[in-house]
Amino acid sequence: PVAAPEPVEGEEAAAPAEGEEPVDEEAAAAAAAEAVEALNAARAGVLEEGGTALSVGMDLSLPLVLVAATSSKSNLLPLDVVPPRAVGPTKPPRDFEQELREEMDEMIQVVAQEYIALFPTETGAAAISMEEQKKQLLYVLNTSGKYHEYKERLKPRIQRVVRVKFENKPNSVEEADRFVSQLYAYLMSELTKVLNRIFRDAEKLQEPQLTSSILPKDDAELLEELELELEKFRVLAIDAEANGDMETTTKRHEDRVAAASSPWESDPTPPALPTGPTAEKRLAVLAACWFDYGIFCLRAATAADADDSFKGGMQSKAEQCLANAVRENPADGPALQLYGAVLLEAGKYEKSEVMFRAALALELPAAEPDAKAEQELTADELAAPLPLSNTLLCLQLMATGQHTPARACLSAAVKGHQARLLKNGAPLDLLGKPKRTAGAVALDAVEFLVEGKLPGMARKALELFQKCEAAAKTKCEDRGLVDAMPAWLKQREKRLTAALLLLEDGSQTDPAQSEAFAATTLDPEDGAAWQGLGDIHYASGAVEEAVSAYIKSLSLLSAKPKPTAARSMIVGSAGAPPEVPPPPPLRLFVRLGTLMLQLGRNDAARGVFLQGCDTWQTCSMWLGAGIALLRLDQLKESEDALMEANVRNNKDPVVWGFVALACLARGDKVRVDQADKSIVQANRLGLTDAALLRELANSYTALDLLESAEALFRRSLACEPSAHTRRRLADVLSAQNSLAAAVNEYKAVIEANEDPQEMALAAGECEKLLVALGRSEEVPQLQALAATIQAC
């Protein structure tokens, strides 16, 4: 069928002639489509038989990548985009002993009031004997119900203290009697402390003039006390992180934030938080606590020695902590920069731009902060902020495809960098010809992002450096100059590239190692480069090489750096080289000292830890010194060091364990009793160091205290199964004439097939015990089992 012609626009379709059948338009369209498909199929067959192919080539000026939608400059402020607080400060752990003291204090006050009401004058009380006064007072307390009330209130307090202070439940009448005696002595000691404090306070109140110690504290004094408390939490957090204890570090940061968030604890308590400069300073202190917590979360998210379950949510927690820091102090430039970088790493482009522009606005020469984002500024004014702020904004604009404003930001960073070099007295000739200023500011951003553990954006910043270097080489060719990157810039690029490669993939250390070697070759006096090389060797398992690199790094970082022109070229995030170089990081002392102890270099380890004690004064430094001195049999010095460690952190179970080990090394009965108490305290705090528990068990075995040794060997096995520990447990059981149990443990060592030497020792001892038990028929079976396992 032929389709009817379409009507001309403005005319009606002609009606079919008389006698003709109406045309089916849908059928006609379907038939036409089938005809076109058949024709295309025939043409395709002809092209295929002839081997015809069609290819299209094109040149692109930019790569085909999906970029975020660009938008006009926003007038939003940081507080407009900061999400509601999701990470809140957790309450510090309850102090049950302090709660018991407070209950005792209240009870004493009530008893004193009843006594005064019963004997209002001294003459009346003097006429009655002390025994009669006691009877009358107890009668009044009993009949008024106060005795029963406070007895019931003290019960739960004492129960909680018993659970904390006394770990083991008495299993015999003798143990129960000893437990009651210890509990009574402890309660009387606490009651005496409370009474002495009450009498001291009463004596102060009777003095004719008020002393400064009982005058109400002003806000400045309270803030100073708070800062001291927060500094203690900060040092404890740094110490725990340096030892790889991420969970404890998290708790310390949470305690620090909780302490900074709590209201003033003064007497009397003020009705509200203070206002004015003190309040602003306190908010800045709280923001600093959140900022430190956020930085730790970023490090924990990429820590090689942390569990994957722990690292899972640390990146999002870091974002929340930094948001809280910005909320508490929107004028904190480093917090704005790092929060913006975290948002940019997560792909939140618009919010990151708000943070970077806010960081720039803080440094721009304008009177009104809200007007800084809109006003037109000259090139000199745009170069006033730190180069890092402009460079980070440049990276954000490049990520969203805004290349023209990105180039303007990079140009402002270059101009600001050169201005600061001139201000610092650094010669611009060291930037090379042509000047590599753009590459220098790009490396500043790389270092900032690598230290912030943001590998994605650090890689983008390194790519920006490579583009700047390629442009410099092109200029060299155009101008006929010698292409030579300054040595100090090349060395810095190698050092940061090595750190970035290790951050991106800690298992592939060969590329990072070659870059770190190049960095140490270009500048052998750079302690940070040697530390990076040591970290790479440590990640690859090369312990001896790591120790050598760490020794070199520690000696360079501890010495006063030589004032070289190359070091003066680094502006960094502070705008100028530091006047006083920072001390070597605590992590370097901990790792180097620990590796030396593992290698048996106890004398060198002692020197490292004692040097760390001078620099940091932390629990881990004194603990390491105590361990090294103990290995050198310097028991008196070891005990002194361990006591210093215990003073700085009496909640560390490892410290209590080594205190017990030092006491056992003395060997006399008094010291053994002290060791028993130390082990009880260590177990109560959760000692899980299998090697330390085994060493303690061996010390008890040497003193022929086999029951204690057996318990410690079993606890060590529960923490970490080990063929050596199980064989030593079997030896102790055999020495206690528990021959059947010893045979079972020896067989378990053989069946585990972990260490051939341990298997041979276990098999020999097991055969002797089987003969002694009259089970000689099992000896051939045991020998066959051992032979089969060794053959497999």
Side-chain angles (χ1 to χ4, degrees):
V2 180
E6 295 184 357
V8 181
E9 185 177 357
E11 299 181 358
E12 295 181 357
E18 185 177 353
E20 295 182 4
E21 295 183 358
V23 179
D24 189 349
E25 295 181 0
E26 294 183 0
E34 291 177 0
V36 171
E37 290 179 1
L39 180 61
N40 289 338
R43 290 174 177 173
V46 172
L47 293 174
E48 186 176 357
E49 290 177 0
T52 306
L54 178 64
S55 62
V56 178
M58 62 181 69
D59 294 330
L60 301 176
S61 60
L62 293 173
L64 291 174
V65 294
L66 182 63
V67 299
T70 60
S71 59
S72 59
K73 189 180 294 184
S74 172
N75 292 329
L76 295 175
L77 296 175
L79 294 181
D80 297 331
V81 298
V82 170
R85 176 179 292 179
V87 178
T90 59
K91 294 182 178 179
R94 293 175 62 181
D95 189 345
F96 297 123
E97 295 182 62
Q98 182 60 28
E99 292 178 2
L100 176 62
R101 296 188 196 105
E102 292 174 356
E103 196 69 45
M104 288 179 174
D105 185 290
E106 186 176 347
M107 181 186 67
I108 292 170
Q109 299 293 345
V110 171
V111 173
Q113 292 174 5
E114 291 293 338
Y115 180 84
I116 293 172
L118 192 59
F119 307 104
T121 61
E122 295 184 6
T123 56
I128 305 175
S129 64
M130 293 295 295
E131 188 65 27
E132 185 63 27
Q133 290 181 26
K134 180 180 177 181
K135 290 181 180 180
Q136 292 187 26
L137 181 60
L138 290 176
Y139 175 79
V140 171
L141 292 174
N142 275 297
T143 54
S144 63
K146 292 182 178 179
Y147 173 82
H148 178 75
E149 175 188 353
Y150 279 91
K151 182 184 70 172
E152 295 300 320
R153 287 174 58 175
L154 280 171
K155 278 183 180 179
R157 307 289 186 189
I158 296 175
Q159 290 171 355
R160 296 188 187 103
V161 170
V162 166
R163 295 190 188 101
V164 172
K165 295 287 292 182
F166 304 93
E167 180 185 18
N168 299 323
K169 180 181 178 181
N171 296 322
S172 63
V173 177
E174 293 78 8
E175 290 184 5
D177 293 340
R178 186 162 53 251
F179 163 73
V180 171
S181 299
Q182 293 175 354
L183 178 59
Y184 177 78
Y186 167 76
L187 293 176
M188 293 305 297
S189 173
E190 294 297 321
L191 183 61
T192 303
K193 293 178 184 177
V194 175
L195 284 170
N196 290 336
R197 183 183 57 79
I198 291 175
F199 281 111
R200 281 197 304 268
D201 293 344
E203 291 174 357
K204 290 178 181 179
L205 290 174
Q206 292 178 356
E207 293 179 1
Q209 294 182 353
L210 292 175
T211 60
S212 59
S213 61
I214 60 176
L215 286 174
K217 296 179 181 179
D218 58 16
D219 295 339
E221 292 176 330
L222 292 171
L223 182 59
E224 184 178 354
E225 291 181 358
L226 176 63
E227 289 177 340
L228 289 175
E229 182 182 5
L230 297 180
E231 179 63 18
K232 292 178 182 178
F233 282 125
R234 188 186 72 86
V235 173
L236 288 173
I238 293 174
D239 196 16
E241 184 180 359
N243 287 273
D245 191 350
M246 296 301 174
E247 293 184 358
T248 301
T249 310
T250 302
K251 294 177 182 177
R252 295 291 177 258
H253 278 292
E254 290 176 350
D255 292 344
R256 188 168 180 240
V257 170
S261 303
S262 61
W264 296 118
E265 295 180 356
S266 60
D267 189 14
T269 304
L273 289 177
T275 57
T278 305
E280 295 177 1
K281 187 174 181 181
R282 178 166 186 181
L283 289 177
V285 169
L286 176 58
C289 295
W290 280 117
F291 181 70
D292 292 341
Y293 191 7
I295 293 178
F296 158 70
C297 291
L298 290 173
R299 291 194 295 264
T302 57
D305 50 357
D307 296 332
D308 293 337
S309 59
F310 176 80
K311 295 191 293 185
M314 297 306 290
Q315 190 76 20
S316 60
K317 184 180 287 189
E319 182 178 333
Q320 295 163 6
C321 291
L322 292 172
N324 293 339
V326 172
R327 180 186 296 105
E328 301 297 343
N329 187 11
D332 188 353
L336 289 168
Q337 291 174 343
L338 187 57
Y339 184 37
V342 171
L343 292 172
L344 189 56
E345 181 90 0
K348 300 177 182 179
Y349 300 103
E350 295 181 0
K351 292 184 178 181
S352 65
E353 182 178 359
V354 172
M355 298 302 156
F356 291 143
R357 291 194 181 279
L360 274 172
L362 293 174
E363 305 167 8
L364 288 174
E368 296 294 333
D370 296 342
K372 294 176 184 177
E374 295 296 332
Q375 64 181 356
E376 295 297 331
L377 300 173
T378 65
D380 292 337
E381 290 173 332
L382 287 173
L386 288 173
L388 179 62
S389 301
N390 273 309
T391 309
L392 292 174
L393 182 57
C394 170
L395 293 173
Q396 191 276 336
L397 294 172
M398 289 176 60
T400 55
Q402 304 178 62
H403 299 287
T404 300
R407 282 193 291 271
C409 288
L410 184 58
S411 177
V414 168
K415 192 168 185 178
H417 188 89
Q418 293 180 355
R420 279 172 171 75
L421 288 179
L422 291 174
K423 182 180 179 181
N424 299 336
L428 296 184
D429 295 341
L430 291 179
L431 288 171
K433 291 184 179 181
K435 293 182 175 65
R436 261 75 170 188
T437 316
V441 299
L443 288 183
D444 282 346
V446 174
E447 186 163 16
F448 174 79
L449 295 166
V450 167
E451 290 177 354
K453 306 302 179 183
L454 300 171
M457 290 314 304
R459 175 59 62 181
K460 295 292 184 184
L462 188 60
E463 292 173 359
L464 175 62
F465 167 81
Q466 293 167 352
K467 291 179 182 179
C468 296
E469 182 58 26
K473 290 182 178 180
T474 303
K475 287 183 180 180
C476 287
E477 296 176 357
D478 295 342
R479 301 176 184 178
L481 300 174
V482 177
D483 180 18
M485 184 191 302
W488 68 269
L489 191 63
K490 185 70 174 177
Q491 188 270 346
R492 194 180 183 203
E493 179 211 358
K494 294 294 184 182
R495 174 171 62 84
L496 294 176
T497 302
L500 178 57
L501 290 171
L502 186 64
L503 179 62
E504 290 176 331
D505 188 357
S507 60
Q508 302 296 327
T509 57
D510 290 341
Q513 184 173 320
S514 62
E515 297 289 336
F517 269 129
T520 55
T521 303
L522 289 169
D523 187 2
E525 301 297 320
D526 186 0
W530 285 103
Q531 184 182 354
L533 179 60
D535 291 338
I536 295 169
H537 283 312
Y538 181 80
S540 64
V543 177
E544 290 284 357
E545 291 81 358
V547 168
S548 299
Y550 284 143
I551 291 174
K552 182 70 173 177
S553 173
L554 183 59
S555 64
L556 291 172
L557 294 176
S558 301
K560 185 178 181 180
K562 299 177 182 178
T564 61
R567 286 185 175 82
S568 67
M569 301 301 294
I570 300 176
V571 172
S573 59
E579 296 181 1
V580 179
L586 179 61
R587 182 177 64 88
L588 177 59
F589 285 107
V590 172
R591 182 165 290 180
L592 177 58
T594 303
L595 291 178
M596 284 181 168
L597 286 176
Q598 293 176 1
L599 295 174
R601 303 180 189 175
N602 299 322
D603 193 42
R606 176 189 60 179
V608 170
F609 282 121
L610 289 177
Q611 182 183 352
C613 292
D614 291 337
T615 306
W616 284 96
Q617 288 289 333
T618 62
C619 172
S620 62
M621 290 295 95
W622 286 109
L623 173 61
I627 296 172
L629 291 165
L630 184 62
R631 299 285 186 260
L632 294 169
D633 291 331
Q634 299 179 16
L635 301 183
K636 177 63 172 62
E637 293 80 0
S638 174
E639 288 183 4
D640 293 340
L642 292 172
M643 288 301 104
E644 290 289 340
N646 190 268
V647 167
R648 280 154 182 79
N649 185 7
N650 61 358
K651 299 297 179 63
D652 191 337
V654 177
V655 175
W656 285 104
F658 275 101
V659 168
L661 199 62
C663 293
L664 291 173
R666 295 286 188 176
D668 56 87
K669 186 179 184 306
V670 175
R671 289 308 183 92
V672 170
D673 292 340
Q674 293 176 354
D676 293 339
K677 295 177 182 179
S678 298
I679 289 176
V680 169
Q681 185 73 2
N683 291 336
R684 185 180 68 82
L685 293 171
L687 179 60
T688 57
D689 189 333
L692 177 56
L693 288 167
R694 181 174 62 243
E695 191 172 0
L696 286 167
N698 288 330
S699 297
Y700 274 105
T701 304
L703 296 174
D704 201 27
L705 300 173
L706 302 181
E707 292 184 1
S708 299
E710 178 187 351
L712 289 167
F713 276 129
R714 293 190 183 279
R715 193 176 183 91
S716 176
L717 284 172
C719 296
E720 180 183 339
S722 166
H724 176 67
T725 305
R726 192 171 296 279
R727 184 182 64 80
R728 293 292 295 130
L729 172 61
D731 293 342
V732 170
L733 291 172
S734 176
Q736 296 180 87
N737 290 324
S738 299
L739 304 185
V743 167
N744 294 334
E745 297 296 340
Y746 283 131
K747 287 184 177 180
V749 174
I750 298 171
E751 294 170 355
N753 192 22
E754 295 178 1
D755 188 342
Q757 184 177 1
E758 295 294 337
M759 287 178 58
L761 292 173
E765 295 296 328
C766 190
E767 290 179 11
K768 296 178 183 178
L769 294 183
L770 288 174
V771 173
L773 290 170
R775 295 159 55 181
S776 303
E777 68 278 1
E778 298 182 24
V779 173
Q781 300 176 2
L782 178 67
Q783 294 173 344
L785 174 63
T788 303
I789 292 176
Q790 289 178 352
C792 295

